Amino acid sequence: HYFIQINLSTTMSLLILSKEAISRHFPPFGVLLGALRTGLVEYSRGEIVQPVRAQLTIPGTRDRFIPMPAIVPSRGVMGLKLVCAVPSNTERSLPTHLGMIQLFNLYGELLCQMDAEEITARRTALCSAIATQLLAPPSSRILAVLGAGVQAKSHVTALRQLFSFDEVGQRLGI
């Protein structure tokens, strides 16, 4: 129910990871921290090809379709994150942001398709944590989070990987 391995040929198979599989089996924040630091350095050196984000607005709405491609030649992979930002989804009891990430080898073979929510939450929060570590005074002991939901919770978890806080968003219910 959580992940599916599909053999497409004798040389290629496709891994499909659901939201539940990623939540249960994706590496924890502490493990991802080093990998993300490495990726940020590689991006800064120009070793990762990632164009400026483009978005398409669905005519007559505030809804957006946002493709985010990247190529990491040193790792032999290309990726594409597709996000649909649909503010009116709250009326349908759906998340306002839905997305998927597809991973390809450099020959264009699709290797994996994953739900984007948890991966995005962790990546965004860990980037914030790394920036905070570089910019915040080392004596910082209070964390205030402005926001709610998945992003707020993931930010608290990520920041706790790098800091020991005496007080964390107590009034925010986190």
Side-chain angles (χ1 to χ4, degrees):
H1 296 284
Y2 299 114
F3 58 91
I4 300 170
Q5 180 92 25
I6 301 171
N7 293 321
L8 300 176
S9 69
T10 57
T11 59
M12 187 179 120
S13 64
L14 172 63
L15 180 63
I16 299 174
L17 298 173
S18 68
K19 181 178 177 177
E20 293 80 14
I22 292 166
S23 294
R24 285 185 178 207
H25 303 291
F26 208 66
F29 282 86
V31 172
L32 295 173
L33 189 59
L36 188 57
R37 270 198 183 106
T38 299
L40 291 170
V41 169
E42 290 173 348
Y43 176 75
S44 295
R45 290 181 184 155
E47 298 168 11
I48 295 175
V49 180
Q50 182 180 7
V52 175
R53 183 180 302 175
Q55 60 183 355
L56 305 168
T57 301
I58 299 170
T61 73
R62 295 183 316 140
D63 304 341
R64 295 168 289 136
F65 180 71
I66 309 164
M68 295 174 256
I71 302 170
V72 188
S74 65
R75 304 207 192 286
V77 294
M78 301 182 287
L80 178 62
K81 178 178 168 183
L82 298 169
V83 174
C84 296
V86 183
S88 62
N89 270 355
T90 55
E91 300 164 11
R92 298 173 191 86
S93 299
L94 292 171
T96 57
H97 290 72
L98 295 165
M100 76 163 80
I101 299 169
Q102 294 179 317
L103 188 65
F104 302 82
N105 65 24
L106 293 180
Y107 306 111
E109 296 174 307
L110 180 60
L111 305 172
C112 185
Q113 182 166 296
M114 305 167 270
D115 182 84
E117 183 178 33
E118 183 68 20
I119 295 169
T120 298
R122 291 184 193 199
R123 188 211 56 87
T124 302
L126 286 167
C127 281
S128 294
I130 291 167
T132 301
Q133 185 179 40
L134 295 171
L135 299 171
S139 60
S140 299
R141 291 285 180 251
I142 298 173
L143 173 63
V145 177
L146 303 178
V150 172
Q151 284 293 331
K153 290 176 185 174
S154 63
H155 273 72
V156 170
T157 302
L159 286 158
R160 282 184 168 153
Q161 299 297 311
L162 300 174
F163 296 93
S164 295
F165 296 109
D166 296 331
E167 187 178 337
V168 176
Q170 293 176 350
R171 295 185 183 188
L172 298 173
I174 296 172

